[in-house]
Amino acid sequence: MAKAKVGSAGIEYISGAMTRPKKLNGHNHGNYLVMTHRVAETTNPNCQRIYSWDADRYARSSALSQTEKANRIRFKTVAAAVAARRQDLSRMTTDQENFLAQREQPNGKKTMKSYLWKLEAETYDAAHPNG
């Protein structure tokens, strides 16, 4: 989704995806239309760019590797474990106490969600040492 800034003279800039192709009946219709707005300091007055790409711009050209498949399985498993753990009332108090205890440590996680992801990822990695 694109973000736009509107001023008194109208649209000052637009940044992001203006349109994306729609997939209907197995076919892509349309193309990508992306606008960027440069915010870095420069002497060039042209800070707005627009790009158009074909609908298959982001289509994968190769099959998934074993590592990618393993990473996807790991992500899906850990995400499900985090979701279940967030709803587990028997562990909630202990998790909250442990989270608060580690939060101010040098490598402590700053949000409860990231803390639970760390715990569940470590549990998954311990159960699957070869990847």
Side-chain angles (χ1 to χ4, degrees):
M1 174 173 269
K3 294 182 181 180
K5 181 178 180 185
V6 179
S8 59
I11 296 173
E12 291 184 20
Y13 69 83
I14 299 175
S15 183
M18 299 293 293
T19 63
R20 295 181 187 164
K22 288 188 175 186
K23 193 165 201 170
L24 299 171
N25 301 324
H27 300 286
N28 285 332
H29 298 276
N31 60 2
Y32 288 96
L33 185 62
V34 178
M35 293 185 76
T36 60
H37 176 75
R38 185 183 64 241
V39 293
E41 300 244 355
T42 182
T43 57
N44 186 340
N46 302 320
C47 60
Q48 190 78 14
R49 300 278 191 268
I50 186 167
Y51 303 96
S52 179
W53 292 302
D54 291 336
D56 63 349
R57 165 80 175 195
Y58 300 106
R60 188 177 185 96
S61 62
S62 63
L64 288 173
S65 69
Q66 290 300 89
T67 303
E68 289 172 315
K69 289 178 184 177
N71 287 342
R72 287 181 180 200
I73 291 170
R74 179 182 184 267
F75 181 86
K76 183 178 179 180
T77 305
V78 172
V82 167
R85 188 167 182 155
R86 290 178 76 182
Q87 301 300 318
D88 187 358
L89 297 176
S90 66
R91 300 170 91 179
M92 190 176 291
T93 304
T94 306
D95 284 343
Q96 288 173 346
E97 290 170 353
N98 293 337
F99 165 69
L100 291 174
Q102 65 84 45
R103 183 173 60 180
E104 300 303 324
Q105 299 299 319
N107 292 325
K109 296 296 180 181
K110 302 300 180 193
T111 65
M112 185 69 169
K113 191 175 196 177
S114 66
Y115 174 70
L116 292 177
W117 268 88
K118 176 181 169 273
L119 294 179
E120 292 300 332
E122 288 171 352
T123 302
Y124 181 90
D125 293 341
H128 302 86
N130 294 333

